[in-house]
Amino acid sequence: MLELFRSRRRAIVWFVEAALLVSLVCAGAAAIEGYRDVATLSRVLDAAAITLVAQASLYYHGLYGPSPIRDLRTLAWKVARALAVSVLLLWLVFQGFSNDAGERFGAVALGLTAGALVLPLFRTGLARAAASDRLCKRTLVLGSGPLADAVITGARTHDTGGMRFVGRLVQEGDPGRAAPDVLGTYDELPRIAAAHGVRHIIVCAADRRGKLPIDALLELKFRGIEIEEGVEFYERITGKIFVRELRPSQLVFAHGFHVAKRTLVGKRILDVVCASVGLVLAAPLMLLTAMAIKLDSAGPVLYSQVRSGVFGMPFTIYKFRSMRTDAEADGKARWASEDDPRVTRVGRFIRKTRLDELPQLWNVLAGDMSLVGPRPERPSFIEELEKAIPFFRQRLFVKPGLTGYAQVRYHYGATTEDQLEKLQHDLFYIKTLSVWFDLSILLDTVKVVLLRIGAR
């Protein structure tokens, strides 16, 4: 959820839409109850509380995410559905706690119905304004290769605050010189930047020593053009670290990748409190799950397995058994696949709803795991992935988690490419580790569980 406030543009949209919804709810109340009683502080505070519920629903429907919804019809449908859910929740609250439920609910329904019309129009108008020639930030990319491709793709699919990609420059003799988006070579930088009104340059060149047009870049920077590292731009807009061209020195000298002692203490307090409360509240559900597993298939209720913990220390993880007891009869470790035939009928349900993970609250309480962190992997998988993916072992520098940033941002990883993608999220989490970030991930986990995203 913190990703909302990592982007200045998304934060502004959030606050503007909050003001719009408060105004519309107050206007709905005025239309039904009359203007005299609406302008009081208590009514404005009520409208603000109603707006927070509505915006939470908007957030959980993906309307404040890093990838903007550009299609008006899709946007209107998502906004309408999110506000309809919030109206239903508020109706249930009013029925239980309000003496004048009918009148107040009518005002809320009227205001949020107006919001379902106003918000898509506001967002569409904002997007068009940001893309206009006067306000858009014309951007040029220097370089070719995986990083340049990832930056260009990320700029087209993520919220960049009105950035318009005009093209890229490559070295003389680059094999990709004939690509349609290549405008020229490095030595043409000043001319091309002036001709296209460039205000932002992203440097993505892999081979830089003696080849970058440093003098031209410095002059353009002093003329007010923003110069940005490709790796930093990619990290800023995607919330991931680009591992393919990451150098060890970037980990050693970069801001972040340092966990303060107070952060570890705060995380441990959060772990103990939440795991204790969670075990108590989930006890009836865990009992029902255990009974269902026992009735569905032969074998133990709980499943234990050795996983790698912080700094590679092995520990035993506990889960509700969701597969047949002969799932790995040949002794060979395998990732779960889509529609895995080894999964039992009850197992399929508890994996989709994440109920199989509940016993891991004991691992959290015991200190082997944290509530939030990289997914705990089996030692054999880690040895295999270390050979294929650079910096994979660095994800072991923090405790593994019951949930995590990679788990809420990416689906279940069953291939090396999936694990690379998840590693980019894990390294970003480790770099920016904080208790607030953990709380944000826990809020996002609720969405993942409710919508059954990524489970297998």
Side-chain angles (χ1 to χ4, degrees):
M1 191 172 186
L2 284 179
E3 68 188 15
L4 169 62
F5 298 102
R6 274 204 300 268
S7 164
R8 183 183 301 175
R9 181 176 178 272
R10 287 202 298 276
I12 290 172
V13 168
W14 190 90
F15 283 112
V16 171
E17 290 186 344
L20 285 172
L21 288 172
V22 168
S23 302
L24 291 170
V25 171
C26 288
I32 290 178
E33 304 173 32
Y35 289 92
R36 188 173 6 180
D37 298 328
V38 172
T40 62
L41 178 61
S42 62
R43 289 304 178 92
V44 174
L45 292 176
D46 285 348
I50 290 163
T51 294
L52 286 177
V53 173
Q55 288 193 289
S57 183
L58 289 168
Y59 178 81
Y60 276 95
H61 281 78
L63 286 155
Y64 292 114
S67 300
I69 301 170
R70 294 185 171 90
D71 180 65
L72 178 58
R73 185 175 298 179
T74 303
L75 176 62
W77 164 242
K78 283 203 168 192
V79 169
R81 188 173 61 181
L83 293 182
V85 169
S86 62
V87 166
L88 178 60
L89 290 174
L90 290 165
W91 178 78
L92 294 173
V93 171
F94 288 154
Q95 290 298 316
F97 298 98
S98 179
N99 295 325
D100 54 347
E103 195 173 73
R104 296 190 66 190
F105 176 71
V108 170
L110 183 60
L112 294 185
T113 299
L117 300 173
V118 171
L119 295 192
L121 296 175
F122 164 69
R123 290 201 177 197
T124 302
L126 184 67
R128 288 181 179 176
S132 66
D133 289 336
R134 180 173 295 181
L135 296 179
C136 75
K137 185 191 292 184
R138 292 177 174 271
T139 300
L140 183 68
V141 170
L142 260 64
S144 60
L147 177 58
D149 293 340
V151 162
I152 293 167
T153 301
R156 288 170 174 162
T157 57
H158 288 73
D159 179 11
T160 56
M163 194 191 89
R164 181 185 295 177
F165 169 65
V166 298
R168 57 177 166 159
L169 303 183
V170 297
Q171 293 182 43
E172 188 69 47
D174 191 293
R177 177 73 174 82
D181 63 346
V182 174
L183 302 178
T185 57
Y186 290 169
D187 57 1
E188 299 176 276
L189 174 59
R191 178 185 64 79
I192 290 174
H196 290 271
V198 170
R199 294 166 52 198
H200 183 207
I201 296 174
I202 305 173
V203 181
C204 300
D207 185 10
R208 303 184 181 187
R209 187 169 298 178
K211 296 180 179 179
L212 276 180
I214 297 297
D215 291 339
L217 285 171
L218 282 173
E219 181 180 342
L220 292 172
K221 184 173 184 178
F222 279 109
R223 290 181 180 275
I225 293 177
E226 180 184 356
I227 312 293
E228 189 170 9
E229 271 274 10
V231 170
E232 293 178 2
F233 174 82
Y234 181 81
E235 179 182 327
R236 177 167 60 83
I237 65 167
T238 65
K240 300 185 292 186
I241 290 179
F242 193 77
V243 172
R244 290 179 179 88
E245 293 186 10
L246 188 65
R247 297 184 295 275
S249 61
Q250 290 175 287
L251 295 178
V252 174
F253 297 110
H255 293 292
F257 295 110
H258 170 74
V259 184
K261 188 174 182 180
R262 63 178 179 274
T263 301
L264 294 177
V265 172
K267 276 179 65 69
R268 185 58 186 153
I269 292 172
L270 181 67
D271 289 345
V272 171
V273 171
C274 291
S276 301
V277 173
L279 283 169
V280 172
L281 295 179
L285 193 56
M286 293 172 73
L287 179 60
L288 291 173
T289 303
M291 292 171 60
I293 293 170
K294 203 66 180 174
L295 292 170
D296 181 56
S297 61
V301 168
L302 290 178
Y303 172 71
S304 63
Q305 193 177 73
V306 175
R307 299 285 177 98
S308 293
V310 62
F311 295 111
M313 295 293 293
F315 73 98
T316 301
I317 197 173
Y318 297 98
K319 302 174 71 173
F320 281 123
R321 182 176 59 83
S322 60
M323 292 188 176
R324 303 190 313 266
T325 53
D326 62 347
E328 293 181 355
D330 58 358
K332 186 177 180 181
R334 296 183 182 87
W335 279 309
S337 60
E338 193 75 39
D339 298 322
D340 199 314
R342 300 174 296 166
V343 178
T344 64
R345 288 175 299 176
V346 169
R348 198 168 306 283
F349 174 76
I350 64 176
R351 288 172 76 92
K352 288 288 186 183
T353 56
R354 303 307 208 280
L355 292 175
D356 63 321
E357 312 277 358
L358 287 177
Q360 291 176 47
L361 288 170
W362 172 254
N363 289 113
V364 174
L365 198 59
D368 297 321
M369 293 175 61
S370 180
L371 282 173
V372 180
R375 176 184 170 84
E377 293 289 358
R378 299 166 73 169
S380 58
F381 286 161
I382 289 178
E383 290 176 9
E384 176 186 332
L385 291 168
E386 270 189 291
K387 299 173 184 176
I389 303 174
F391 305 104
F392 192 81
R393 178 160 288 274
Q394 275 62 43
R395 68 195 294 279
L396 299 176
F397 288 172
V398 297
K399 284 184 182 180
L402 180 59
T403 184
Y405 184 58
Q407 286 95 302
V408 300
R409 291 291 297 271
Y410 195 71
H411 57 74
Y412 180 88
T415 66
T416 301
E417 189 63 29
D418 286 339
Q419 292 296 332
L420 172 61
E421 188 69 21
K422 295 190 80 170
L423 175 64
Q424 296 186 139
H425 288 96
D426 285 333
L427 289 179
F428 181 84
Y429 169 75
I430 295 169
K431 180 179 180 179
T432 55
L433 185 67
S434 72
V435 175
W436 288 111
F437 198 6
D438 279 12
L439 290 171
S440 169
I441 292 168
L442 290 173
L443 289 174
D444 283 340
T445 301
V446 175
K447 177 173 71 173
V448 169
V449 172
L450 290 176
L451 300 181
R452 301 186 183 184
I453 297 170
R456 289 188 181 179

